[in-house]
């Protein structure tokens, strides 16, 4: 048997549980329908009307980054309720609060709303959680970053202490900009260029940057004091290397100086000023000169040893020199050496001093060494005269002749000849005796 009805309806459309439902047009059919008597063609029962879920879509304006998550509804309908049955009276009585999911720049960013409240006669028939979503764009905020004028003393870098100016930053964002010179070198009207980003939690991408240069920068020379080291050398030697010390300031980052130290020309003993051609266009150099002192060379003059025979004229006295600079000899001395001795033709056999003195020259420290003049005996040959006598007579006077050489300076011989002893007839040699 088949049970059918033609209509069933709630008393009203309001959502609720155990709501009365009126059924009409009830009928039965089938092969055994005759076995039954349908007492009524209407009936009353109960059923539930469940609230219909709906959602809300937000219509949000795009915005330029402003450092916060605040969102603004676009013009027109702010909130669209999705899933309403046509003709139902449902309105938004409180739009709640809304915000982007974060403050950063992006396309199609989600905006969430909470605490949306619905009103209207049919609002109670819908299941709504009070939230809504929408999307909108946050675009970059444009700022201009402009370098400022700066003057600094050269330090070997392009760093500038100036802080570039910026447009207004949003929220708690902070600037992280620097500026640099176009090069490190000294000069005026130098270009300063800014760079950097905003610390915005998004690697600076919430801003677009226009960088503006400044062309009034100036780098002035660094002060540097160079002091030449005093030097010395001995006359005739080559110059030592001329060196210096940086006594105030310093060279930066591997900088070097061109040029060299020089000195006043001259080789004679004396003091010569050390000058400088050292330079570097990035430094204001103060040079303190030094002195190269040329000291005398050591020169030893030694009287040459001499000898002569007694009674003869003195030999020419000469000297030897040790210490002359190459290419020089005794002819360069301001005052020549003087040699002297006390010996003359009458001086006895002996060794006598030859003194050397008097030599002077500004380029030499002169020391003197004496020599020796040795007077040697003169040669003299004496020949005894042959003598004879008769046995028993006294000896004759023994005499002699100078047969080689001669006595000089009025000298005379002392003493006498002698003979071998004996009185018998025979030949006896005559000897020098004590002559």
């Amino acid at each position: 048997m088949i049970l059918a009805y033609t209509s069933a309806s709630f008393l009203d459309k309001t959502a609720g549980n155990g709501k009365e439902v009126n059924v009409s047009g009830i009928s039965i059919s089938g092969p055994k329908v005759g076995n039954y008597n349908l007492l009524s063609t209407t009936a009353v029962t109960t059923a539930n009307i469940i609230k219909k879920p709906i959602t809300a879509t937000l219509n949000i304006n795009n915005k330029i980054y402003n450092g916060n998550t605040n969102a603004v509804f676009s013009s027109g309908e702010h909130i669209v309720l999705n899933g309403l049955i046509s003709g139902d009276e449902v309105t938004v009585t409180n739009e709640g609060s809304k915000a982007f999911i974060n403050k950063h720049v992006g396309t199609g960013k989600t905006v969430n709303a909470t605490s949306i409240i619905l009103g209207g006669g049919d609002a109670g028939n819908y299941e709504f959680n009070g939230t809504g979503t929408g999307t909108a764009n946050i675009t970059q905020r444009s700022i201009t970053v402009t370098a400022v004028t700066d003057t600094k003393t050269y330090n070997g870098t392009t760093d500038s202490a100036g802080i570039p100016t910026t447009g207004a930053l949003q929220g708690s964002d902070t600037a992280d900009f620097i500026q640099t010179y176009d090069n490190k070198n000294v000069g005026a009207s130098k270009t300063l260029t800014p760079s950097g980003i905003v610390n915005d939690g998004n690697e600076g991408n919430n801003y677009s940057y226009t960088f503006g240069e400044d062309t009034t920068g100036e780098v002035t020379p660094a002060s540097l004091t160079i002091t030449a080291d005093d030097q010395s050398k001995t006359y005739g030697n080559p110059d030592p290397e001329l060196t210096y010390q940086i006594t105030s300031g310093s060279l930066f980052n591997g900088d070097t100086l061109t040029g060299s130290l020089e000195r006043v020309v001259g080789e004679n003993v004396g003091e010569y000023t050390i000058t400088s051609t050292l330079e570097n266009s990035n430094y204001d150099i103060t040079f303190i000169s030094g002195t190269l002192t040329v000291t005398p060379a050591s020169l030893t003059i030694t009287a040459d040893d001499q000898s002569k025979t007694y009674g003869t004229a003195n030999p020419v006295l000469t000297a030897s020199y040790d210490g002359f600079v190459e290419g020089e000899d005794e002819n360069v001395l301001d005052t020549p050496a003087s040699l002297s001795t006390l010996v003359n033709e009458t001086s006895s056999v002996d060794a006598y001093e030859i003194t050397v003195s008097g030599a002077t020259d500004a380029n030499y420290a002169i020391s003197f060494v004496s020599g020796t003049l040795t007077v040697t005996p003169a040669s003299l040959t004496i020949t005894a005269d042959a003598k004879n006598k008769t046995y028993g007579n006294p000896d004759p006077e023994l005499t002699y002749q100078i047969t080689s050489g001669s006595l000089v300076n009025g000298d005379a011989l002392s003493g006498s000849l002698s003979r071998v002893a004996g009185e018998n007839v025979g030949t006896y040699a005559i000897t020098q005796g004590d002559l």
Side-chain angles (χ1 to χ4, degrees):
M1 184 173 61
I2 299 172
L3 178 64
Y5 66 93
T6 58
S7 66
S9 61
F10 287 95
L11 291 179
D12 58 58
K13 65 180 182 180
T14 303
N17 294 325
K19 291 180 67 71
E20 182 177 321
V21 177
N22 292 310
V23 182
S24 62
I26 299 172
S27 64
I28 57 174
S29 62
K32 297 182 179 181
V33 67
N35 297 326
Y36 294 92
N37 183 23
L38 183 62
L39 297 179
S40 175
T41 59
T42 63
V44 176
T45 186
T46 60
N48 301 330
I49 299 178
I50 300 170
K51 292 183 179 182
K52 183 179 182 182
I54 59 173
T55 60
T57 299
L58 312 177
N59 291 322
I60 302 296
N61 275 341
N62 297 328
K63 76 170 185 175
I64 298 172
Y65 173 78
N66 63 356
N68 59 54
T69 60
N70 294 345
V72 176
F73 286 118
S74 58
S75 60
E77 189 175 9
H78 293 175
I79 300 175
V80 176
L81 299 175
N82 305 305
L84 287 180
I85 295 173
S86 179
D88 277 0
E89 181 187 352
V90 179
T91 59
V92 176
T93 60
N94 189 324
E95 294 177 338
S97 60
K98 54 200 175 297
F100 285 88
I101 57 172
N102 59 51
K103 69 177 183 178
H104 301 309
V105 164
T107 301
K109 294 179 67 71
T110 298
V111 178
N112 292 316
T114 59
S115 302
I116 299 173
I117 298 174
L118 301 182
D122 296 316
N125 294 322
Y126 292 92
E127 184 70 35
F128 180 62
N129 62 7
T131 66
T133 60
T135 60
N137 302 331
I138 300 178
T139 56
Q140 290 178 322
R141 177 169 290 274
S142 297
I143 62 172
T144 297
V145 182
T146 306
V148 298
T149 189
D150 187 25
T151 297
K152 75 167 186 175
T153 300
Y154 175 80
N155 66 355
T157 73
T158 59
D159 297 344
S160 167
I163 304 299
T165 61
T166 65
L169 301 183
Q170 304 298 304
S172 61
D173 295 348
T174 59
D176 188 14
F177 294 100
I178 62 171
Q179 61 183 41
T180 55
Y181 287 88
D182 50 354
N183 59 60
K184 69 178 183 178
N185 297 320
V186 165
S189 300
K190 297 181 70 68
T191 299
L192 290 157
T193 302
S195 62
I197 61 172
V198 174
N199 293 320
D200 61 0
N202 191 32
E203 299 181 346
N205 293 318
N206 291 324
Y207 295 84
S208 63
Y209 307 93
T210 299
F211 291 101
E213 297 177 340
D214 178 273
T215 58
T216 62
E218 183 175 6
V219 178
T220 59
S223 295
L224 192 69
T225 300
I226 297 173
T227 301
D229 297 322
D230 290 334
Q231 302 283 1
S232 66
K233 73 166 187 171
T234 301
Y235 173 72
N237 287 346
D239 282 4
E241 181 184 2
L242 299 180
T243 57
Y244 62 87
Q245 307 295 324
I246 295 175
T247 52
S248 178
S250 62
L251 291 172
F252 295 100
N253 298 336
D255 286 350
T256 58
L257 301 176
T258 59
S260 62
L261 296 182
E262 300 173 350
R263 70 171 181 90
V264 173
V265 175
E267 294 299 328
N268 292 328
V269 167
E271 293 185 346
Y272 298 87
T273 300
I274 298 172
T275 60
S276 170
T277 62
L278 296 170
E279 64 178 0
N280 184 309
S281 60
N282 289 320
Y283 296 85
D284 181 9
I285 297 175
T286 298
F287 180 73
I288 300 175
S289 62
T291 301
L292 172 65
T293 302
V294 180
T295 59
S298 296
L299 177 66
T300 301
I301 304 177
T302 303
D304 296 328
D305 291 337
Q306 303 281 1
S307 67
K308 75 163 190 167
T309 301
Y310 170 74
T312 62
N314 286 353
V316 176
L317 300 181
T318 60
S320 298
Y321 299 83
D322 182 25
F324 275 121
V325 170
E326 184 177 356
E328 294 187 347
D329 57 23
E330 63 270 22
N331 293 315
V332 304
L333 294 175
D334 295 336
T335 304
S338 175
L339 295 158
S340 63
T341 181
L342 298 177
V343 176
N344 56 37
E345 292 181 1
T346 65
S347 297
S348 302
V349 171
D350 204 343
Y352 297 87
E353 181 182 20
I354 302 171
T355 60
V356 58
S357 63
T360 61
D361 191 278
N363 290 326
Y364 292 95
I366 301 174
S367 59
F368 301 99
V369 178
S370 297
T372 300
L373 175 54
T374 302
V375 179
T376 60
S379 297
L380 193 66
T381 301
I382 297 173
T383 303
D385 298 327
K387 299 289 182 178
N388 59 64
K389 76 170 185 172
T390 302
Y391 175 75
N393 288 340
D395 285 357
E397 179 183 2
L398 299 179
T399 61
Y400 59 87
Q401 304 296 322
I402 296 175
T403 56
S404 177
S406 63
L407 292 170
V408 297
N409 300 324
D411 290 347
L413 299 177
S414 62
S416 61
L417 300 177
S418 65
R419 72 173 181 87
V420 174
E423 293 298 328
N424 293 326
V425 171
T427 298
Y428 296 90
I430 299 172
T431 63
Q432 183 174 349
D434 60 358
L435 185 65

